Structure formats: C-alpha cells, structure tokens
C-alpha cells in the first residue's frame, strides 16, 4: 500500500483486550458480578503494577502464579536441540515414511537431549471440510501416536509453530478473519476470533497447517 493513507482506509490489528499497562494509564474499572452481569465503574488511574504468570518449562511441567520479578528473558540462542512443548517438528532427514507427518512436542529432556513427540498425519488439503475432519481426528486422537525421539533427529517447522499472543489469519479465507492465539490442545491451535464488522467474538481451534502468522510483512489482500 501507499506510505500515506487516510485514517478511514486503515484499521488497527489490536482487536483484543489490553493486557499491558503502564503507571499513569487511565482506564475504566470493569467488575463482573456472580450473576454474570458486568458493571463499568468510574475512571481509575494505574498507580502500581504487579504481574504474575503461568510458566511451562521444557519438561512440560507447568508452574502457576510466578512473579515476573523472579524470571528473566533467555538472552542466549537455544541450541538446535532446544525444543519446547507445542513446537511443531519434523524428522531431520529425508524419508518418504515421515514426509506426510507432523509432530507436536509434548515434553523435552534437556539432559538426555530427547523429546516426547505426538505424531499426526499432515493436513494435505486446505478446504473447510478437510480442516474440520482434521480437527476432529486430532482431538479424538484416533490417528495419532507418541514416540521418544533424539532431539538431534528433529527439526523445527517455523511456519507451523505459533506462540500465545501471535496474531493469525487462515489460509482458508472462509474459516477465519483475524484472531489471536490463546492456547494449544491435541495438535490444534486455540484461536480467539474477532469479527469487528459483525460484532462477534469467540474461540475455536485450527490445525497449525491452516494458519498464517500476521507480521509487518504479511499481505492481507
């Protein structure tokens, strides 16, 4: 597109609830009552911030309510065998036997350099019916199997590996407008949808093969 555009010709991709706050930010306090009704009270100002997070380690273990002051960003580049749960992987060698499979890392043993991987047949046709059938098969685990693999025999598939918070769209245009990745389950990605023109918000799942990561270089035309 042109470098200069009228404001009425563009829209923000920040469709989702704000989760990052700065001191001095002003907001309306939203309270949800036990009955389910929501009340928006008077404007408030942020004067103190305390953040806690849930962390999933490479072993698959989940730690809850960890203060962010006790964590630090890993500034070192992970080795080629450094995999995390929900990474999408393939075998690190050419073999027709494995070419039609994708693996989802369940856990990683850093000391032994091994991974527990759940394998699924790849989605081969990106049509709505095939996507739905793939979702049902993966959630039911009717066509999956788990193996322990050497991390050196695996390679990450960067086009199919997503993180919580990623903004995505679907390669099958009828299935999804724009959504935010909020989790993973049984070889599929949980996505919070947003249709601003239709006033609809909801959560659904998609195979990673049917999603496209939206970045600064992504064309939505």
């Amino acid at each position: 597109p042109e470098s200069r555009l009228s404001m009425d010709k563009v829209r923000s991709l920040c469709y989702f609830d704000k989760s990052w706050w700065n001191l001095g930010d002003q907001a309306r306090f939203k309270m949800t009552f036990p009955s389910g009704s929501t009340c928006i009270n008077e404007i408030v100002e942020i004067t103190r911030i305390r953040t806690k997070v849930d962390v999933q380690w490479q072993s698959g273990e989940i730690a809850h309510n960890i203060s962010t002051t006790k964590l630090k960003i890993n500034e070192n580049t992970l080795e080629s065998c450094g995999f995390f749960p929900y990474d999408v992987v393939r075998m690190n060698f050419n073999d027709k036997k494995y070419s039609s499979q994708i693996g989802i890392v369940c856990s990683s043993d850093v000391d032994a350099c091994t991974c527990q991987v759940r394998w699924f047949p790849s989605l081969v046709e990106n049509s709505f019916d095939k996507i739905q059938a793939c979702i049902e098969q993966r959630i039911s685990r009717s066509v999956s199997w788990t193996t322990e693999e050497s991390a050196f025999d695996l390679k990450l598939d960067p086009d199919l590996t997503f993180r919580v918070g990623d903004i995505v769209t679907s390669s099958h245009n009828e299935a999804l407008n724009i959504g935010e990745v909020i989790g993973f389950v049984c070889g599929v990605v949980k996505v919070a949808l947003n249709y601003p023109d239709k006033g609809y918000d909801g959560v659904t799942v998609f195979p990673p093969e049917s999603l496209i990561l939206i970045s600064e270089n992504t064309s939505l035309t």
Side-chain angles (χ1 to χ4, degrees):
E2 300 176 9
S3 59
R4 291 181 178 273
L5 292 172
S6 172
M7 291 292 292
D8 60 358
K9 294 183 179 180
V10 297
R11 65 179 181 179
S12 173
L13 292 181
C14 300
Y15 292 150
F16 311 101
D17 290 342
K18 185 173 182 180
S19 57
W20 296 98
W21 298 95
N22 295 313
L23 295 178
D25 282 351
Q26 293 184 343
R28 288 189 180 275
F29 183 70
K30 182 169 66 174
M31 178 181 295
T32 301
F33 297 99
S35 62
S37 60
T38 300
C39 175
I40 304 297
N41 294 327
E42 68 275 4
I43 294 177
V44 298
E45 182 176 337
I46 306 299
T47 60
R48 188 177 68 166
I49 299 173
R50 183 174 59 186
T51 307
K52 292 186 177 181
V53 296
D54 293 344
V55 178
Q56 184 167 35
W57 306 101
Q58 282 182 281
S59 64
E61 179 184 359
I62 299 177
H64 298 281
N65 297 321
I66 304 298
S67 172
T68 54
T69 59
K70 296 182 179 180
L71 301 171
K72 64 178 182 179
I73 298 295
N74 179 31
E75 298 179 351
N76 299 320
T77 302
L78 289 173
E79 297 178 358
S80 59
C81 59
F83 297 103
F84 282 84
Y86 307 116
D87 281 349
V88 178
V89 295
R90 298 184 186 272
M91 298 303 291
N92 196 22
F93 47 81
N94 295 323
D95 190 325
K96 290 184 178 180
K97 177 181 177 182
Y98 298 100
S99 62
S100 60
Q101 302 171 4
I102 67 166
I104 309 296
V105 175
C106 302
S107 63
S108 177
D109 187 328
V110 179
D111 294 330
C113 290
T114 59
C115 294
Q116 291 289 329
V117 182
R118 180 172 291 278
W119 298 96
F120 299 91
S122 297
L123 177 68
V124 295
E125 183 181 335
N126 221 358
S127 65
F128 182 79
D129 290 341
K130 293 295 184 181
I131 289 174
Q132 295 305 308
C134 177
I135 292 171
E136 293 175 4
Q137 289 177 343
R138 291 186 181 180
I139 291 180
S140 67
R141 299 186 179 182
S142 60
V143 288
S144 68
W145 58 98
T146 302
T147 63
E148 182 177 79
E149 303 289 347
S150 168
F152 299 103
D153 290 337
L154 301 172
K155 62 180 178 181
L156 184 72
D157 191 326
D159 294 330
L160 302 184
T161 297
F162 299 95
R163 304 297 183 203
V164 171
D166 282 347
I167 305 301
V168 295
T169 186
S170 177
S171 54
H172 180 68
N173 294 331
E174 296 178 7
L176 171 65
N177 182 12
I178 290 176
E180 179 181 13
V181 174
I182 61 171
F184 310 89
V185 58
C186 296
V188 295
V189 183
K190 295 177 67 175
V191 179
L193 306 180
N194 187 270
Y195 295 88
D197 299 333
K198 301 178 182 178
Y200 168 78
D201 292 282
V203 176
T204 189
V205 294
F206 289 89
E209 300 99 310
S210 68
L211 293 175
I212 299 173
L213 178 67
I214 294 179
S215 66
E216 295 179 355
N217 300 320
T218 304
S219 172
L220 299 180
T221 58

